[in-house]
């Protein structure tokens, strides 16, 4: 990606939060701002849920509260990340126009009383929202405090897939533009199956709930349409702002576990700076690895450019089955891991913990307990560190390995009818990433079809849906000397969800040097033993190598005797294939072997246990910055020379990193 027309300018690394002053009386605002200054907060997102305050009745605007708070923040030297305020419609709008309410797949509406209760295709909602944006951007567009625009909030978090009649009509329009003819659509969706052939455009709807499984082509296109529809909404708001303000514009992405509805590869080019929200998800096997993955993907979306962590938490969230508090030092480790992986801003949801509303048990920078609390002290400590590492801003993360990630594959994999319900796309990605992460390798996350020439090792986990041209980029790169690992279920269908016939892995088949005849998944929890002593689970396949060498085969299970791990020489490179999901230790050992073969080193050498350590280097013009995050409780020693910025000491040859600590070494650039 080229440098955006409107770069986000900030002095050093931004440190901030969402701030909802509407929830508090103005006398609290002074205390808030004084404490923000104490913590080093210098970027505050406001007006995220402002609509019912700014426009209490249709067409009647009242900016007095927002004028006041922006003025106070400005006087305190705090920059404003200004929300357009449109994320949740006010009651008067949904009462007067109930047709803006979204409809879920069973054909029932969802009502106001929560948030984001609007249909992305609704022209009524859009007109009302754009009128508000016009008023807000007109009033504050050139306000000196406003350094960033925050369009809506987490677009599509709740309302991405709307099935109302307005959405259905918009979907038809999108399909017409894509296919031109109804025959083209019938071919793409395979409607010859189950008597689904369409004769008229008006016969087509969104994939509402059915008695049986739904047409997978229709589901896939509905995902694409829904992502595009919200992007068009984002563009409509951004167009208004661009006319009235010269500040950069973004919206907060949700690159985080379990949220799959928007294809951010197609969105990212519209952002002046990529911004992401991330929350640790304790339902996962390895929440820390997922945090790093999300950070790497956020960086990947901006083509490697620095990005902003717009929200994360100081402690528990309120929306998981069990909402865990953070341990001592975890705020620092989490925040600085994001910075290590390219964030030039770390912000939290939210400033002051709410006393009311459904997020009153969500953590905040200033907790219910007030400033005499461990959370507050850690927030202030973090603010101090962020201040000291300002020079890191603008530097770029170094990576010589990449992982190919695709929202389309995510959607296609989650098809209602698949070989095993236990097979999830993100699980495959996380397992591969966790192995790279445990091995200490820094990874760029790239889109299918992206240029791979900067990398020596590429991992392609479960890339179920792939276009011939995207696969060719990977196989040509291998032929030119790259080392790749492709994992099972990759190359199964094309962009129309049509199976690549002739043996699975389709367009990867020749490069991998094997032919898969049949998938043979196993019950979750059933161990599979491999001939090299490894164990695996979830998946096996019956295949035959053509030119590949078998590195390990299944010793038991439904594919006994068939290859589990293979390596094929392809041109001057190596194409590895993994036909199962190995144990975490075996996956890591495999990655270690490939990294060794490809000549991909970790960012620095660690003495002692390395499992719970992550080390990433950001390279700047005058210096580079080595980030070391020790998630474990045991101290470690890492090879490093330079000035350590957390403690402010010089280190020469090595640095001691106590359990739970973060160290950041400023290394002089090589002459
Ligand atoms: C999202 C939203 C915030 C808040 C947090 C809670 O990120 O953008 O408004 O609801 O979740 O975790």
């Amino acid at each position: 990606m080229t440098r955006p027309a409107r770069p986000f300018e900030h002095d050093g690394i931004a440190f901030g939060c969402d701030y909802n002053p509407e929830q508090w009386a103005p006398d609290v605002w002074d205390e808030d701002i004084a404490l923000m200054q104490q913590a080093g907060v210098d970027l505050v997102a406001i007006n995220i849920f402002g609509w019912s305050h700014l426009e209490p009745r249709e067409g009647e605007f009242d900016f007095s509260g927002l004028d006041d708070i922006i003025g106070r923040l400005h006087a305190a030297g705090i920059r404003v990340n200004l929300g357009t305020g449109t994320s949740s419609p006010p009651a008067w709008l949904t009462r007067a126009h109930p047709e803006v309410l979204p409809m879920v797949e069973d054909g029932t509406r969802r009502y106001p009383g929560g948030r984001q209760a609007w249909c992305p295709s609704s022209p009524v909602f859009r007109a009302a929202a754009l009128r508000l944006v016009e008023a807000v951007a007109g009033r504050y567009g050139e306000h000196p405090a406003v350094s960033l625009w925050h369009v809506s909030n987490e677009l599509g978090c709740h309302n991405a897939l709307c099935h109302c009649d307005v959405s259905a009509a918009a979907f038809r329009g999108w399909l017409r533009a894509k296919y031109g003819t109804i025959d083209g659509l019938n071919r793409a969706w395979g409607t010859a199956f189950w008597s689904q052939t369409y004769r008229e455009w008006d016969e087509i709807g969104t994939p509402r709930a059915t008695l049986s499984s739904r047409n997978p082509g229709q589901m896939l296109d509905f995902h694409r349409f829904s992502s595009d529809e919200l992007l068009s909404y984002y563009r409509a708001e951004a167009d208004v702002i661009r006319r009235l303000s010269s500040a950069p514009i973004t919206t907060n992405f949700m690159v985080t576990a379990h949220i799959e509805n928007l294809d951010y590869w197609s969105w990212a080019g519209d952002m002046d700076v990529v911004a992401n929200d991330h929350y640790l998800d304790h339902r996962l096997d390895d929440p820390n690895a997922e945090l790093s993955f999300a950070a790497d993907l956020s960086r990947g979306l901006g083509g490697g450019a620095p990005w902003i962590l717009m929200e994360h938490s100081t402690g528990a969230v309120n929306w998981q089955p069990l909402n865990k508090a953070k341990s001592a030092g975890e705020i620092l480790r989490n925040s600085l891991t994001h910075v290590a992986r390219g964030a030039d801003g770390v912000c939290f949801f939210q400033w002051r913990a709410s006393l009311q509303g459904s997020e009153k048990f969500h953590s905040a920078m200033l907790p219910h307990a007030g400033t005499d609390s461990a959370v507050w002290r850690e927030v202030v400590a973090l603010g101090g560190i962020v201040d000291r590492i300002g020079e890191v801003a603008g530097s770029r993360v170094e990576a010589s390995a990449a992982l190919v990630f695709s929202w389309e594959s995510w959607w296609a994999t989650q098809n209602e009818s698949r070989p095993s319900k236990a097979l999830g796309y993100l699980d495959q990605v996380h397992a591969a990433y966790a192995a790279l992460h445990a091995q200490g390798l820094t990874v760029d996350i790239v889109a299918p079809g992206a240029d791979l020439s900067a990398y020596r090792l590429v991992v392609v986990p479960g890339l179920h849906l792939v276009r011939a041209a995207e696969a060719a980029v990977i196989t040509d790169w291998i032929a030119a000397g790259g080392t790749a690992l492709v994992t099972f279920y990759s190359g199964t269908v094309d962009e129309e969800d049509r199976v690549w016939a002739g043996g699975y892995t389709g367009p990867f088949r020749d490069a991998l040097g094997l032919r898969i005849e049949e998938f043979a998944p196993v019950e979750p929890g059933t161990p599979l033993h491999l001939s090299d002593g490894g164990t695996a689970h979830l998946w096996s396949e019956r295949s035959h190598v053509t030119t590949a060498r078998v590195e390990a085969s299944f010793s038991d299970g439904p594919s006994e005797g068939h290859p589990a791990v293979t390596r094929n020489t392809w041109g001057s490179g190596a194409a590895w294939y993994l036909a199962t999901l190995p144990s975490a230790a075996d996956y890591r050992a495999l990655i270690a072997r490939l990294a060794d073969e490809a000549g991909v080193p970790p960012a620095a050498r660690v003495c002692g246990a390395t499992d719970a350590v992550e080390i990433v280097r950001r390279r700047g013009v005058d210096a580079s910055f080595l980030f070391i995050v020790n998630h474990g409780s045991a101290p470690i020693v890492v090879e490093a020379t330079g000035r350590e910025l957390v403690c402010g000491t010089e280190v020469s040859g090595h640095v001691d990193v106590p359990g739970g600590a973060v160290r950041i070494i400023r290394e002089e650039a090589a002459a």
Side-chain angles (χ1 to χ4, degrees), residues 479-505:
T483 299
L485 175 67
V486 177
T487 81
F488 64 90
Y489 215 46
S490 291
T492 315
V493 298
D494 67 11
E495 69 267 38
E496 293 181 340
D497 203 41
R498 183 185 292 104
V499 169
W500 285 104
Y504 301 122
T505 70

Side-chain angles (χ1 to χ4, degrees), residues 464-626:
H464 179 60
L465 180 157
V466 71
R467 294 166 178 80
E470 292 164 350
V473 170
I474 297 170
T475 53
D476 289 352
W477 169 84
I478 299 171
T483 299
L485 175 67
V486 177
T487 81
F488 64 90
Y489 215 46
S490 291
T492 315
V493 298
D494 67 11
E495 69 267 38
E496 293 181 340
D497 203 41
R498 183 185 292 104
V499 169
W500 285 104
Y504 301 122
T505 70
F508 296 118
R509 195 166 46 228
D510 292 342
L512 294 173
L514 86 169
R515 220 180 131 254
I516 298 161
E517 289 189 20
E518 202 174 359
F519 295 144
V522 294
E523 288 289 345
T526 307
L528 292 166
H529 296 95
L530 307 188
S531 59
D532 63 357
T535 52
H537 54 121
L538 191 75
W539 195 263
S540 78
E541 295 172 344
R542 295 167 181 166
S543 69
H544 304 279
V545 291
T546 47
T547 53
R549 187 173 78 206
V550 178
E551 299 286 333
S553 52
F554 293 101
S555 307
D556 53 17
S559 305
E560 186 176 344
H562 288 274
V565 184
T566 59
R567 182 192 184 281
N568 192 43
T569 300
W570 183 248
S572 355
W576 290 73
Y577 181 67
L578 184 55
T580 188
L581 182 61
S583 69
D586 292 338
Y587 213 147
R588 181 181 169 181
L590 179 66
I591 290 290
R593 196 170 157 197
L594 266 74
D596 196 40
E597 179 177 310
V600 179
R605 258 181 355 113
V606 185
C607 316
T610 58
D611 276 20
V613 181
E614 43 194 316
I615 306 182
V616 180
R617 180 174 282 108
R618 286 185 67 167
R619 194 169 288 284
V621 180
D622 301 322
S624 52
F625 303 90
L626 189 70

Side-chain angles (χ1 to χ4, degrees), residues 161 171 174-175 178-179 188-189 216-231 261-263 266-267 407-409 411-412 465-467 494-497:
L161 306 177
F171 184 38
W174 183 93
L175 292 166
K178 176 169 181 179
Y179 294 108
W189 287 8
Q218 183 184 12
M219 300 279 279
L220 181 60
D221 269 345
F222 185 56
H223 271 293
R224 291 172 171 138
F225 155 77
S226 300
S227 177
D228 286 357
E229 199 69 346
L230 277 165
L231 176 56
N261 285 327
L262 305 177
D263 182 350
S266 64
W267 282 57
W407 272 275
E408 288 187 308
S409 271
W411 299 333
L465 180 157
V466 71
R467 294 166 178 80
D494 67 11
E495 69 267 38
E496 293 181 340
D497 203 41

Side-chain angles (χ1 to χ4, degrees), residues 134-159:
E134 182 97 30
V136 174
R139 192 169 186 93
Y140 305 109
E142 295 307 335
H143 194 292
V146 175
S147 65
L148 187 60
W149 283 97
H150 183 301
V151 167
S152 191
N153 188 59
E154 290 193 340
L155 284 161
C157 179
H158 309 283
N159 66 347

Side-chain angles (χ1 to χ4, degrees), residues 29 81 150 244 270 309 311 333:
W29 300 354
N81 169 19
H150 183 301
L244 299 165
D270 280 71
L309 179 67
E311 294 180 22
R333 291 193 294 280

